[in-house]
């Protein structure tokens, strides 16, 4: 009797173990079918942080198919494709369940145009050539004059001391101040002159205190706009800036 009871108990244990394995298998199959169901097909791709690169360009470069399972999406591949574009600095790709992908990009900010051997190039704060043009049709950022680059290509990094000083100054300006500048002229290593879109001359001088001078530039431009001042020039060569009002 004891042997029969032991055999019966063993059969029950085996049956229980088999039932557990079958249940686990059913759960795994259900999870697999659920993950691969239309519920997780990408329905929306949200692009954030872009200003210069259009949403259409981001999607094209990212290579996100019209329909793809969100679990099969590879954020690392999307990031690699987007950061290969010189206009893009950083990328973050997030899955937002059940069917949304968010692509957040940080763009390289175009800082200035500079004349080159075959036209003009647009450079960022690191002096990297982002785009090349034969002619300037639309000027969104200041043009740096007094220096001419040679045969440079998109992706090249410009190493020019005079140009580096200008980029240091421009990179400290906020967007509002930067958009008010039309030209930065390198008259000599010790004489930088800035011109605004309203024909105000700002004498920057040498390469000393460039960060401080950029801050003063933004503050003075804001004051000029707020008070509607008719200014002939601003001189930042001195500790206390000089503002010369136009003669009426």
């Amino acid at each position: 009797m004891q042997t029969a009871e032991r055999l019966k108990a063993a059969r029950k244990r085996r049956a229980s173990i088999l039932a557990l394995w079958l249940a686990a298998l059913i759960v795994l199959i259900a999870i697999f079918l659920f993950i691969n169901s239309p519920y997780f097909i990408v329905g929306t791709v949200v692009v954030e942080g872009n200003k210069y690169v259009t949403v259409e360009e981001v999607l094209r470069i990212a290579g996100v198919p019209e329909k793809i399972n969100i679990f099969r999406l590879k954020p690392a591949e999307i990031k690699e494709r987007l950061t290969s574009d010189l206009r893009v600095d950083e990328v973050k790709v997030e899955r937002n369940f059940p069917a949304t992908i968010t692509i957040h990009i940080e763009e390289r900010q175009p800082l200035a145009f500079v004349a080159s051997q075959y036209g003009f190039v647009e450079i960022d704060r690191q002096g990297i050539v982002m785009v090349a043009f034969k002619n300037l049709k639309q000027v969104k950022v200041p043009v740096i004059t007094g220096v001419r680059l040679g045969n440079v290509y998109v992706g090249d990094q410009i190493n020019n001391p005079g140009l580096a000083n200008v980029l240091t100054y421009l990179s400290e300006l906020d967007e509002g101040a930067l958009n008010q500048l039309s030209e930065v002229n390198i008259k000599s290593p010790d004489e930088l002159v800035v011109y605004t879109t309203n024909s105000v001359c700002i004498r920057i001088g040498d390469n000393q205190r460039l960060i401080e001078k950029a801050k003063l530039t933004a503050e003075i431009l804001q004051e000029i706009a707020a008070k509607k001042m008719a200014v002939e020039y601003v001189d930042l060569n001195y500790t206390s800036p000089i503002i010369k009002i136009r003669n009426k």
Side-chain angles (χ1 to χ4, degrees):
M1 291 293 295
Q2 291 181 353
T3 302
E5 289 177 357
R6 285 199 296 270
L7 289 173
K8 187 177 180 180
R11 282 197 295 268
K12 284 185 177 180
R13 284 196 299 272
R14 287 197 294 269
S16 298
I17 293 171
L18 181 60
L20 287 173
W21 276 105
L22 286 173
L25 181 60
I26 290 171
V27 170
L28 289 174
I29 292 173
I31 292 173
F32 175 80
L33 293 174
F34 182 58
I35 287 175
N36 287 277
S37 70
Y39 188 67
F40 291 106
I41 297 297
V42 172
T44 306
V45 180
V46 178
V47 179
E48 300 176 340
N50 62 307
K51 179 178 179 182
Y52 304 102
V53 187
T54 65
V55 172
E56 291 75 16
E57 285 182 292
V58 172
L59 297 179
R60 177 182 57 79
I61 298 167
V64 179
E66 185 177 348
K67 291 184 178 181
I68 187 174
N69 187 288
I70 197 168
F71 286 103
R72 294 182 179 177
L73 188 75
K74 297 181 179 178
E77 291 184 0
I78 292 177
K79 181 176 180 179
E80 183 178 357
R81 285 193 288 266
L82 284 170
T83 51
S84 66
D85 190 298
L86 286 173
R87 297 170 294 177
V88 178
D89 190 18
E90 292 290 339
V91 177
K92 185 178 181 180
V93 182
E94 295 179 337
R95 297 184 180 99
N96 299 308
F97 296 100
T100 301
I101 298 167
T102 301
I103 301 175
H104 182 83
I105 67 172
E106 292 183 17
E107 299 172 315
R108 292 185 184 275
Q109 182 184 358
L111 208 59
F113 291 107
V114 190
S116 66
Q117 185 173 346
Y118 299 108
F120 292 86
V121 294
E122 188 177 51
I123 59 177
D124 72 351
R125 64 183 64 228
Q126 282 83 37
I128 295 174
V129 177
M130 300 174 61
V131 190
F133 304 91
K134 287 187 177 180
N135 298 291
L136 288 182
K137 296 181 180 179
Q138 183 181 7
V139 179
K140 302 172 292 185
V141 289
V143 178
I144 300 176
T145 58
V147 61
R148 189 180 186 88
L149 305 176
N151 190 15
V152 294
Y153 299 92
V154 172
D156 288 350
Q157 185 167 21
I158 310 304
N159 294 311
N160 180 294
L163 197 60
N165 291 332
V166 176
L167 293 180
T168 297
Y169 167 78
L170 292 178
S171 63
E172 293 296 326
L173 297 173
D174 58 34
E175 187 175 2
L178 188 66
N179 290 340
Q180 294 184 61
L181 306 186
S182 61
E183 179 187 350
V184 181
N185 179 243
I186 306 175
K187 290 192 173 184
S188 72
D190 295 323
E191 190 176 2
L192 297 181
V193 180
V194 174
Y195 298 93
T196 73
T197 54
N198 293 325
S199 301
V200 176
C201 173
I202 303 176
R203 300 170 183 173
I204 304 299
D206 58 26
N207 60 3
Q208 303 299 311
R209 302 185 298 113
L210 288 174
I211 295 176
E212 178 188 344
K213 290 174 182 177
K215 182 179 179 181
L216 288 170
T217 298
E219 292 174 352
I220 291 170
L221 288 176
Q222 190 173 22
E223 182 181 2
I224 290 173
K227 296 181 179 179
K228 298 181 180 179
M229 301 165 62
V231 175
E232 182 177 341
Y233 69 82
V234 176
D235 196 330
L236 302 180
N237 283 288
Y238 305 95
T239 305
S240 298
I242 297 174
I243 301 177
K244 175 69 166 60
I245 305 299
R246 294 182 188 275
N247 295 323
K248 294 184 179 181

